[in-house]
């Protein structure tokens, strides 16, 4: 077995110790004491108008709102340790509700806003939720029936949306009004009840491979991650910076990022619609962004398409290769080293023509991007580093309270997800599985049955395959459950091939198939928007829009020819026994929770289950 560890930067003398951080609420309380007038958030002045200006919310104003809502929770009967669900898109009020529950001594149970009614009901029942906060009338409706079924313990469902007419309306303002009679001392006493080892949240995994599991994360898990990551990434997360959070706040990565920014004084804006991000970058001018690789692929592809439309396709191709070459040089050279003269000339020219404009598209102030949620193609990472926006790739899971490993701003190696973060240890088992132990690693699932195979020798079994390079950095190699064994006994790990195909702008997901078969094939799921632009001259009837829960076979000779080249490139990267012989193009609704998790991971089992006939056709003579 191989191991890699990084010592804590902020340890037990600060977390949970007398005079240190008792629980997560201290992160906000201390920041409010240090810099009450500093802008903690940006919120739209008119949420219904995308062009409306954004206004600052100070740390003092946010803290006062949190305390008011928390008092309301106490007033209506929330007890220490009560589970409270939050179901809403990413928005400012999510942050208010999250912290208010912790101030009231409760345990937050996030629910993805795209969850089906059966999922909502199962989570509320399993976590024994007593109160819920919904983002809109739709979410309130989904939460009400299962919460009512809880009986006399239920304290109702409250809405983030304000009342739009007369009559009683359960919104956060009304909840705060109910708490006006609660004394400050009573709230402070409740706030300090939770200790470092108390449960802070129960996060239900999105279930790409089976039944969702409730991971219980403690205040210590969050504090350890927030304080140590803030210490390690001080040049990225700082009071002079700002970011946009558009990942679902039901996901632990987004919530962890929010706490890191709050504790560090970094201004936060929320966007519920990821497609609206590009339009707001110029207005909000973030210094730091967290994205999934697909966003970076789309930025690069859009730039290429614009260059091609101007007759500069060959020039752009040279600009891309120059950016990658510059990125490689910057990653491997010493800080004082100068690039070769020819590379410097080319890079300077393309910076004036292309790179500078790309940086402006991202707002002009982005110094770093964090990529997570899926494996980032090394060449794409090098490209963005080469245009002057380094990409920090990291790796983690719900069960590790988000990041477990990460490249550091001053030590990025594309193609890896970096070393263990402070306070973490990664071990590679004999069969290649990544095992984790550390400050952010949870102690177990809510259901004890789910813990039976979750740990080995005190390490959490991630289910991911990987290896350590000579510097102790983690290189991801796929999912243990995705390994394919062909009929001739060959064991295939599909991630390298799939990642290569998915780097193509037309492809959203690639699924290699071949378990028990004598050769490999694949389902290649196309990006509907990219396909529409690519095949604009094809009749709309040739590309019918898939309904929810539907997978459609795409018959488009031009698209197939394009994807064939991506398949050929991927086949060149792997051994002959790992090459795909046949594939089918598929279209589906990429927002459909039947096939895609809220964090954009593909539910492979669901896709394969709905594609039996298509798969059989790939193996027919």
């Amino acid at each position: 077995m191989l191991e890699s560890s990084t010592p804590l930067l902020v340890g037990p003398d600060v977390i949970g110790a007398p005079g240190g951080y008792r629980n997560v609420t201290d992160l906000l309380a201390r920041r409010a004491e240090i810099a009450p007038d500093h802008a903690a958030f940006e919120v739209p002045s008119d949420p219904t108008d995308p062009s409306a200006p954004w206004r600052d919310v100070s740390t003092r104003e946010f803290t006062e709102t949190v305390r008011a809502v928390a008092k309301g929770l106490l007033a209506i009967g929330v007890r220490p340790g009560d589970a409270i669900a939050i179901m809403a898109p990413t928005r400012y009020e999510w942050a208010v509700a999250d912290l208010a529950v912790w101030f009231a001594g409760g345990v937050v149970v996030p629910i993805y806003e795209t969850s089906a009614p059966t999922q909502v009901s199962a989570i509320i029942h399993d976590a024994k939720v007593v109160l819920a906060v919904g983002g809109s009338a739709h979410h309130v409706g989904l939460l009400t029936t299962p919460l009512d079924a809880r009986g006399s313990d239920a304290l109702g469902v409250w809405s983030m949306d304000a009342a739009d007419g007369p009559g009683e309306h359960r919104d956060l303002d009304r909840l705060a009004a109910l708490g006006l009679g609660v004394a400050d001392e009573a709230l402070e006493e409740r706030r300090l009840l939770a200790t470092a080892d108390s449960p802070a949240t129960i996060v239900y995994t999105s279930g790409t491979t089976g039944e969702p599991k409730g991971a219980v994360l403690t205040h210590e898990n969050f504090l350890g991650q927030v304080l140590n990551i803030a210490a390690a990434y001080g040049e990225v997360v700082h009071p002079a910076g700002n970011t946009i959070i558009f990942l679902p706040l039901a996901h632990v990565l987004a919530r962890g990022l929010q706490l890191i920014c709050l504790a560090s004084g970094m201004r936060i804006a929320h966007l519920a619609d990821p497609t609206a991000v590009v339009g707001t970058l110029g207005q909000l001018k973030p210094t730091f962004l967290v994205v999934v690789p697909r966003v970076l692929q789309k930025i690069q592809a859009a730039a290429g398409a614009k260059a091609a439309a101007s007759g500069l396709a060959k020039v752009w191709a040279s600009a891309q290769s120059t950016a990658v070459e510059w990125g490689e040089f910057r990653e491997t050279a010493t800080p004082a080293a100068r690039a070769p003269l020819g590379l410097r000339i080319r890079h300077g020219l393309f910076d004036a023509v292309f790179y500078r404009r790309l940086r402006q598209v991202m707002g002009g102030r982005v110094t770093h991007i964090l990529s997570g949620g899926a494996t980032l193609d090394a060449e794409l990472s090098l490209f963005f580093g080469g245009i002057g926006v380094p990409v920090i790739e990291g790796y983690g899971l719900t069960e590790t309270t988000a990041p477990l490993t990460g490249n550091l701003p001053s030590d990025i190696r594309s193609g890896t997800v970096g070393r263990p973060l402070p306070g973490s240890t990664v071990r590679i088992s004999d069969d290649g599985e990544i095992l984790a132990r550390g400050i952010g690693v949870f102690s177990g699932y809510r259901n004890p049955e789910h813990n039976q195979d979750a740990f080995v020798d005190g390490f959490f079994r991630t289910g991911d395959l990987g290896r350590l390079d000579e510097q102790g950095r983690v290189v991801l190699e796929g999912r243990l459950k995705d390994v394919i064994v062909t009929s001739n006994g060959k064991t295939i790990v599909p991630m390298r091939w799939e990642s290569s195909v998915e780097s193509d702008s037309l492809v959203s997901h690639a699924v290699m198939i071949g378990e028990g078969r004598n050769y490999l094939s694949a389902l290649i799921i196309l990006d509907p928007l990219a396909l529409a632009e690519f095949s604009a001259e094809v009749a709309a009837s040739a590309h019918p829009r898939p309904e929810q829960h539907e997978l459609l076979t795409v018959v488009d000779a031009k698209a197939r020819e394009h994807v064939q080249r991506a398949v050929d490139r991927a086949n060149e990267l792997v051994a002959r026994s790992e090459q795909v012989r046949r594939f089918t193009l598929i279209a589906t609704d990429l927002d459909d929770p039947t096939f895609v998790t809220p964090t954009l991971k593909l539910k492979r089992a669901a896709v394969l289950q709905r594609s039996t006939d298509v798969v059989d056709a790939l193996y027919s003579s």
Side-chain angles (χ1 to χ4, degrees), residues 313-326:
K314 289 185 178 180
V315 180
W316 170 251
S318 181
Q320 275 190 275
S321 62
T322 297
V324 170
E325 189 178 348
W326 187 269

Side-chain angles (χ1 to χ4, degrees), residues 590-602:
L590 294 179
D591 294 323
D592 186 352
T594 306
F595 303 120
V596 182
T597 74
T599 52
L600 306 181
K601 294 185 181 73
L602 188 71

Side-chain angles (χ1 to χ4, degrees), residues 5-354:
S5 297
T6 302
L8 286 166
L9 293 177
V10 180
D13 56 324
V14 174
I15 300 170
Y21 289 83
R22 182 177 179 84
N23 61 47
V24 172
T25 65
D26 278 343
L27 294 170
L28 176 58
R30 295 193 180 194
R31 182 64 192 167
E33 290 178 0
I34 295 169
D37 297 321
H38 187 81
F41 293 92
E42 289 177 287
V43 299
S45 56
D46 181 358
T48 64
D49 180 7
S51 62
W54 292 61
R55 71 173 184 88
D56 288 347
V57 175
S58 70
T59 308
R60 176 189 285 111
E61 180 182 348
F62 175 68
T63 305
E64 289 174 350
T65 303
V66 166
R67 289 174 57 85
V69 174
K71 286 183 177 182
L73 294 173
L74 265 63
I76 64 174
V78 168
R79 298 162 299 184
D82 276 350
I84 298 177
I86 303 176
M87 183 183 188
T90 296
R91 54 189 288 184
Y92 170 72
E93 292 79 9
W94 218 115
V96 170
D98 200 16
L99 269 296
V101 172
W102 281 329
F103 266 66
V107 177
V108 178
V109 181
I111 301 177
Y112 286 106
E113 63 150 335
T114 55
S115 297
T118 54
Q119 294 172 312
V120 176
S121 180
I123 290 172
I124 287 177
H125 172 76
D126 186 73
K128 294 182 170 53
V129 169
V130 301
L131 181 145
V133 179
S136 66
H138 170 68
H139 302 114
V140 168
L142 286 173
L143 292 162
T144 298
T145 300
L147 195 63
D148 285 349
R150 295 273 300 131
S152 59
D153 287 341
L155 299 174
V157 181
W158 300 75
S159 175
M160 293 180 186
D161 286 347
D164 56 3
E168 184 173 293
H169 181 77
R170 285 186 166 187
D171 60 18
L172 296 184
D173 289 339
R174 169 67 175 162
L175 184 58
L178 293 175
L180 290 175
V182 176
D184 290 343
E185 294 77 13
L187 177 62
E188 186 67 2
E189 181 180 349
R190 178 67 67 86
R191 181 181 79 83
L192 295 175
L193 279 181
T195 60
D197 59 358
S198 298
T201 190
I202 305 171
V203 182
Y204 286 80
T205 59
S206 52
T208 58
T209 57
E211 177 189 359
K213 303 171 184 177
V216 181
L217 304 177
T218 66
H219 285 270
E220 182 179 23
N221 289 143
F222 275 111
L223 286 170
Q225 289 285 68
V226 169
L227 296 173
N228 279 281
I229 291 172
Y233 290 86
E235 63 189 279
V236 178
V237 185
H238 50 79
N242 66 302
T243 190
I244 303 172
I245 296 179
F246 54 91
L247 297 175
L249 276 171
H251 192 277
V252 72
L253 174 59
R255 288 172 75 203
L257 170 64
Q258 183 162 262
L259 288 172
I260 292 168
C261 291
L262 268 176
S264 304
M266 190 161 184
R267 195 166 70 253
I268 303 166
H270 297 100
L271 279 178
D273 181 7
T275 63
V277 173
V278 173
T280 60
L281 290 175
Q283 187 176 6
L284 297 176
K285 300 186 184 304
T287 60
F288 173 61
L289 286 174
V290 178
V291 301
V292 293
R294 192 66 182 156
V295 173
L296 301 180
Q297 291 170 3
K298 287 187 174 183
I299 292 174
Q300 185 190 55
K306 189 172 182 179
S310 302
L312 299 173
K314 289 185 178 180
V315 180
W316 170 251
S318 181
Q320 275 190 275
S321 62
T322 297
V324 170
E325 189 178 348
W326 187 269
E328 288 177 330
F329 174 78
R330 286 301 180 199
E331 284 191 5
T332 56
T334 61
R338 295 193 73 192
L341 178 61
L343 177 59
R344 294 204 310 271
I345 292 173
R346 282 186 286 122
H347 187 269
L349 173 63
F350 290 134
D351 187 72
V353 177
F354 293 117

Side-chain angles (χ1 to χ4, degrees), residues 455-478:
F455 296 88
V456 57
D457 298 332
F459 283 77
F460 172 64
R461 299 184 59 193
T462 67
D464 290 313
L465 296 170
R467 59 182 173 84
L468 297 174
D469 71 7
E470 58 276 10
Q471 280 81 40
R473 301 184 186 93
V474 175
V475 180
L476 298 178
E477 296 189 326

